[in-house]
Amino acid sequence: MKKLFFRLMMFAIIVCLGILSMNQIRKKHANDYRDLLKNHAGKGTFYLSQATEFEWDKAVAFKFPASKESLERVSETEIDFSYDLREGIIFIKDGKIVFKDIYDCNPERPSDIIYELNEDHLSVYKKDTLICVEKKDELFYLVQKTGN
């Protein structure tokens, strides 16, 4: 009985450590992506794919009050995360979300990356979409499409 309890405890610890390390990996990718965008600020146009270190076909930036239906329609994938009162960008490969940089909408502490969006509060990017990043002020960076 003690051996079974010990094995269950070890299994639970391993699972918890795995979850924690996956969260750290996700945070690192998000920070790397944001840093790459910020490093391009004021340096002219470039492809959004140059700010990523993973494979993707399409990216969709969004902000509340974008609807789940419109987000699923333009991304051509099922949205399996809470999008209410959120903003950010998702990257899709072969119909599946491979990376997401999303955060809560908070007027008192807004995101430092601001995407130029359409009237549906969405913007679709392909790998060959040219963008420019401009430093808006001391805290914010504006990502704008310049082509495609």
Side-chain angles (χ1 to χ4, degrees):
M1 188 64 143
K2 286 183 182 181
K3 285 184 180 182
L4 178 62
F5 178 75
F6 178 76
R7 287 182 181 168
L8 288 174
M9 289 302 294
M10 291 304 293
F11 178 75
I13 289 170
I14 291 169
V15 169
C16 289
L17 289 174
I19 291 170
L20 288 174
S21 70
M22 288 303 293
N23 285 337
Q24 291 299 323
I25 290 169
R26 284 188 196 112
K27 286 180 186 176
K28 180 188 179 323
H29 282 301
N31 290 337
D32 289 349
Y33 165 72
R34 289 166 163 259
D35 288 344
L36 286 167
L37 277 181
K38 291 175 187 179
N39 288 335
H40 278 91
K43 296 181 180 174
T45 60
F46 65 101
Y47 296 108
L48 181 59
S49 59
Q50 292 176 279
T52 59
E53 297 176 337
F54 50 87
E55 289 295 316
W56 57 278
D57 301 318
K58 179 192 289 190
V60 181
F62 67 96
K63 184 175 183 175
F64 179 81
S67 70
K68 180 178 182 181
E69 292 78 20
S70 60
L71 190 52
E72 287 182 334
R73 179 178 41 79
V74 299
S75 68
E76 298 174 326
T77 191
E78 183 180 342
I79 302 304
D80 61 351
F81 59 89
S82 172
Y83 65 92
D84 290 333
L85 299 174
R86 293 226 158 145
E87 60 184 299
I89 190 166
I90 57 174
F91 290 86
I92 297 123
K93 173 97 173 135
D94 298 327
K96 298 194 183 328
I97 297 172
V98 294
F99 177 76
K100 55 189 173 191
D101 182 27
I102 57 174
Y103 31 89
D104 296 334
C105 292
N106 183 347
E108 294 178 16
R109 190 170 177 243
S111 169
D112 55 347
I113 304 291
I114 301 168
Y115 296 93
E116 184 177 58
L117 305 173
N118 65 19
E119 63 276 354
D120 292 328
H121 307 281
L122 301 164
S123 189
V124 178
Y125 300 87
K126 296 177 184 173
K127 291 185 92 162
D128 61 350
T129 300
L130 281 171
I131 63 170
C132 70
V133 178
E134 296 298 327
K135 192 165 186 173
K136 194 171 176 185
D137 58 33
E138 289 302 311
L139 298 175
F140 303 107
Y141 294 81
L142 178 64
V143 177
Q144 298 174 304
K145 287 184 184 180
T146 60
N148 290 13

